[in-house]
Amino acid sequence: MDLKFTKMHGLGNDFVVIDATRQAFNLDSEQIRVIADRRRGVGCDQLLVVEPSNQANVDFRYRIYNADGGEVEQCGNGARCFALFVRDKGLTNKQEISVQTNSGTLQLYIEEGDQVRVNMGIPELEPGQIPFDANSRAVQYAINIQGETVEFGAISIGNPHAVLDVPAVGHAHIDSLGPAIENHPRFPNRVNVGFMQVVNRNRIKLRVWERGTGETQACGSGACAAVVVGCIQGTLDDTVTVELPGGELVVSWSGEQQPVFMAGPASFVYEGTITV
């Protein structure tokens, strides 16, 4: 089967985007892994699928698959790419676009200079809804990793995140701690792991180990999770510039029971056809 695709990225977090409004999409996890393979396929952190919505007053369905072939709930950088894709491919002429995901509905706003602002929804702080195995909600949690205690904030931005405060992201043990926390049994659906260095109350540096993918150049939901955790812990103000390896995002959150907003760029790379 020949499948048309578009390669895009949001701050280096790269995607293969499939328009399933104009062609059939019925790939299994192995075929998705082949497409995501950087040596034998196209190569990407996530594969994004544009589908017609089956809900009233929602423009599209937005599906996300990690490089390991597993379908996940949320991807903020992908959402920005999704917005520019559907506009530039003539699927909509709206500047405000609603999309249905596996974790709820997102609102995407295309702004001046092709910047995209995303309403990422209200963060979930209750452990059982993240999901994370804990007796009660806390500002900070602790787990045992290889005989050492690791402390972090836990939150869901439509997908689960653990956020660790580190003195310097350049010296964080991401390759060892990332997968160990991702697969810890207290996270039944696994977890994305953010390593946050607070520069000041309005700026952080962040690196993210994404479940099913590994470290990426940027993670939009991870940026939102880090800012919310920092606000809850009292180290950050309500609008924060998040410096990721691939570039910067601006995240704002006005407090509990309020949605978190993320703004940043998205870029087209190339188009092609792959046989799967």
Side-chain angles (χ1 to χ4, degrees):
M1 175 179 65
D2 290 340
L3 196 64
K4 295 180 180 179
F5 69 88
T6 299
K7 185 72 182 286
M8 300 185 72
H9 76 88
L11 300 182
N13 186 190
D14 64 334
F15 309 101
V16 167
V17 186
I18 306 294
D19 180 1
T21 70
R22 293 170 173 165
Q23 61 185 335
F25 175 82
N26 54 4
L27 301 184
D28 59 28
S29 58
E30 176 56 32
Q31 290 171 311
I32 292 170
R33 286 195 292 270
V34 169
I35 292 173
D37 190 300
R38 297 187 183 279
R39 297 183 185 276
R40 294 178 170 85
V42 181
C44 63
D45 293 323
Q46 282 90 19
L47 183 145
L48 312 180
V49 184
V50 182
E51 294 184 347
S53 171
N54 57 15
Q55 293 185 359
N57 302 316
V58 176
D59 298 307
F60 298 97
R61 186 179 182 198
Y62 167 37
R63 299 178 69 184
I64 308 117
Y65 295 85
N66 277 343
D68 65 357
E71 187 170 6
V72 294
E73 309 91 341
Q74 180 67 283
C75 178
N77 284 328
R80 299 198 314 277
C81 291
F82 189 105
L84 294 191
F85 179 90
V86 296
R87 184 202 64 183
D88 285 19
K89 296 302 177 184
L91 299 177
T92 185
N93 59 6
K94 295 181 177 180
Q95 296 297 103
E96 179 180 340
I97 303 161
S98 60
V99 296
Q100 168 193 354
T101 74
N102 285 346
S103 63
T105 302
L106 298 181
Q107 297 298 128
L108 318 178
Y109 306 88
I110 301 175
E111 300 183 332
E112 186 176 353
D114 283 349
Q115 292 281 302
V116 180
R117 184 167 57 96
V118 183
N119 180 340
M120 298 287 286
I122 298 172
E124 180 57 67
L125 305 173
E126 291 298 326
Q129 300 302 313
I130 294 173
F132 174 63
D133 181 15
N135 292 328
S136 60
R137 176 180 158 182
V139 172
Q140 195 137 306
Y141 302 94
I143 56 176
N144 185 276
I145 298 288
Q146 300 168 348
E148 295 187 8
T149 298
V150 177
E151 295 184 338
F152 55 89
I155 186 175
S156 174
I157 307 287
N159 55 357
H161 288 267
V163 180
L164 288 69
D165 281 299
V166 296
V169 291
H171 299 294
H173 300 295
I174 293 173
D175 289 340
S176 57
L177 278 179
I181 298 172
E182 174 195 352
N183 295 288
H184 195 279
R186 290 180 65 185
F187 288 101
N189 292 345
R190 297 185 296 162
V191 70
N192 303 287
V193 187
F195 298 80
M196 173 176 66
Q197 174 187 342
V198 176
V199 178
N200 57 48
R201 296 193 64 86
N202 299 106
R203 176 174 287 271
I204 63 172
K205 295 183 179 181
L206 181 70
R207 293 170 66 184
V208 181
W209 177 274
E210 294 197 47
R211 60 176 175 167
T213 299
E215 186 179 3
T216 57
Q217 287 291 294
C219 178
S221 62
C224 294
V227 170
V228 172
V229 166
C231 288
I232 291 170
Q233 294 178 347
T235 59
L236 296 177
D237 289 339
D238 59 5
T239 300
V240 177
T241 298
V242 182
E243 182 182 331
L244 297 134
E248 294 184 350
L249 297 172
V250 176
V251 175
S252 57
W253 186 56
S254 57
E256 290 204 31
Q257 300 305 312
Q258 298 300 314
V260 58
F261 287 86
M262 171 201 62
S267 301
F268 289 88
V269 183
Y270 62 87
E271 297 183 334
T273 302
I274 186 170
T275 301
V276 291

